[in-house]
Structures are given as C-alpha cells and as structure tokens.
Amino acid sequence: MTCRTLTVPIQAGRLKLTVRHEDLPVERCLTYATRQNPRRLYLFVSKVLGKHWPVRPSVMRDIHVRLAAKIAALPGPLLVMGMAETATALGRGVAEEAARLAGCDDVVYLQTTRCRLSRPLAFAFDECHSHAPDHAVYQPDPELQPLFRAARSLVLVDDEISTGRTLVELARAYLRFNPRLEQSALASIANWLDADRRRELALLLGRPVGFPALVEGGFVEEPVGVGDEEDGAGLLRLLEDLGRGGGSGLGGGGRLVAGFRRLGGLRGALGE
C-alpha cells in the first residue's frame, strides 16, 4: 500500500501520522485522544480490542487471527505475554489462535498485572510513561513451570508500540529469568517504530526481534501552542490541570484476567 500521511487534532495539539503499511485501514483500527498525563499527552484508542470502543466479537477474533498468523511459525516452547491493562485479552486471543494455527500444545500465556497477588512473583518492571508504573509477572502453575522457564520464543503483545521501551524492559526481565531464550517478537495492532529504533531494540536484547503488526508507520506529536505565546500559556494550564487530575483519560484499573494454564492445540482454552 502507498505510504500516506494523516494530521489528527486532539485536545493537547496534533498528531502527524505517516502510515507505511496497513493490513487493515488505520481508521478501522484506532482513534485518538488526549491523556490526563503530562508525561505523555496523546493516546491511541483501539477500536478493535473490545475495551474502550464497542466491537463485535467476530472483529476481535479476526484481529487475533491476523496477529497470530504472524507468530505461529516461531519455534516452541512459545511464551506469549499480554500487557496490562489494555492488551490482556488481545494477548490471550493471539496466544489461543497461535496454538490453534500451529497445532501445538507448547504455548503458554501470561499477562503483566499491577495487582499484588499471593502467587510467587517471577519478576517486576516499570512502565516509565505510565501513571501507574509498576508491572508484575507471576509464575504460572507448577505443571507449566518447565515451559515457562525454557521458552525458545517470547512474544510480547500490546495494542500499540510508540517507543518499545516498556516491552524491552519486560523482555530483559524475562531474559534474566531464562537466558537461553532464542528470539523475541513485539506484536501489536499498531507499530510506530522506525528502522533505526527497531535495530536499537534488537541490540538491547542481543537476539533477533520481530515486529509483527497490522498497521506500521510513524508519528510526530505537536503540542498546542508551539511557537505561540498565548496558546503556550494555555498549554501550561492544560498540563497543570492534567497533573492535578493524574491517570489516563481512558485507562482502566489493574484487574487481573488470569491466564496461567497451557493452551491446547485445537481451539485452546476457549474449547471451541
């Protein structure tokens, strides 16, 4: 598909997008908002997750299948992790479909969570731009421990990737747990990383890294009032208001969706 550009207004300014690849039109996949977080004013709001935007289950399933098809050939054992809070169901669906497509039973799904549980902790890490930075990954049930500790491939799933920083922190935390990991994939609906950033992330992990996504491109954030004194004062007031409000305008709580068992080779845990 031909590269195209979009200029999107949000309350905090504008986003200028360059879209290089689309399995599905970007307009079908996401929309945009202003976050109540002065560290990161923009927000990509998914239309296909079933979280913030009404969506038919068949559309969600199609997204899961499309992403799973991009990772199903990775060597197992395959560990798939979904990012809290937004991508927990997305990650689970991708793991289910990857197990079905590959016809294997060595796919394990876990998610990060911000909850404190009584389960044994595997590791924890921070999400720097978030209003609630602490992520935790808990160990799966004992029968899944061998697969969890011996995964050859790691797939980290998020709805969109802007910098890749959080996912790399998660991957590095798992590498300390399993240094024999052979390769990783950062899977997402939308990926905004350029080629230089992708190479940088691969170097940080010291292993091959794939970037399966349905939409790929880049964006530039232009805050309201850039170069304008009056509008700049308005931006300062907005930042002060957001700082008092805290949180993410559309963010959810840290409720855990448990995913501690192995996914089967036909229809996985859904039993379909």
Side-chain angles (χ1 to χ4, degrees), residues 161-177:
I161 303 176
S162 298
T163 67
R165 181 169 49 196
T166 302
L167 294 178
V168 164
E169 289 302 314
L170 173 54
R172 293 172 80 175
Y174 179 71
L175 277 170
R176 290 190 288 271
F177 200 82

Side-chain angles (χ1 to χ4, degrees), residues 65-266:
V65 172
R66 287 173 180 269
L67 277 176
K70 298 176 182 290
I71 66 165
L74 292 175
L78 173 63
L79 175 61
V80 181
M81 293 192 189
M83 296 294 295
E85 287 84 6
T86 305
T88 53
L90 175 65
R92 180 66 180 242
V94 169
E96 293 274 359
E97 294 300 329
R100 181 182 66 85
L101 291 171
C104 61
D105 63 355
D106 61 351
V107 178
V108 176
Y109 174 69
L110 295 175
Q111 67 164 75
T112 73
T113 180
R114 305 187 200 276
C115 296
R116 295 296 174 259
L117 307 179
S118 58
R119 303 183 68 94
L121 181 68
F123 47 81
F125 64 102
D126 286 346
E127 183 175 5
C128 300
H129 63 261
S130 175
H131 63 283
D134 293 333
H135 280 268
V137 174
Y138 289 89
Q139 295 187 27
D141 290 333
E143 63 269 23
L144 297 182
Q145 288 287 335
L147 291 176
F148 176 57
R149 295 176 178 275
R152 295 174 61 195
S153 302
L154 172 67
V155 177
L156 307 181
V157 182
D158 212 347
D159 59 322
E160 62 92 15
I161 303 176
S162 298
T163 67
R165 181 169 49 196
T166 302
L167 294 178
V168 164
E169 289 302 314
L170 173 54
R172 293 172 80 175
Y174 179 71
L175 277 170
R176 290 190 288 271
F177 200 82
N178 174 20
R180 295 180 299 278
L181 182 75
E182 296 176 11
Q183 59 187 297
S184 299
L186 310 185
S188 61
I189 297 171
N191 186 315
W192 307 114
L193 303 178
D194 61 22
D196 288 342
R197 180 57 175 165
R198 295 183 186 205
R199 284 191 291 268
E200 181 182 353
L201 296 181
L203 287 173
L204 286 172
L205 295 179
R207 287 159 178 78
V209 180
F211 298 89
L214 304 183
V215 174
E216 298 182 58
F219 72 94
V220 176
E221 177 191 8
E222 292 187 352
V224 63
V226 173
D228 186 286
E229 182 176 352
E230 180 178 352
D231 286 345
L235 175 61
L236 180 59
R237 289 192 297 272
L238 174 62
L239 289 170
E240 291 172 345
D241 290 343
L242 295 178
R244 286 192 293 270
S248 171
L250 294 174
R255 181 171 296 180
L256 175 68
V257 181
F260 292 104
R261 66 188 182 89
R262 183 185 310 183
L263 306 178
L266 295 178

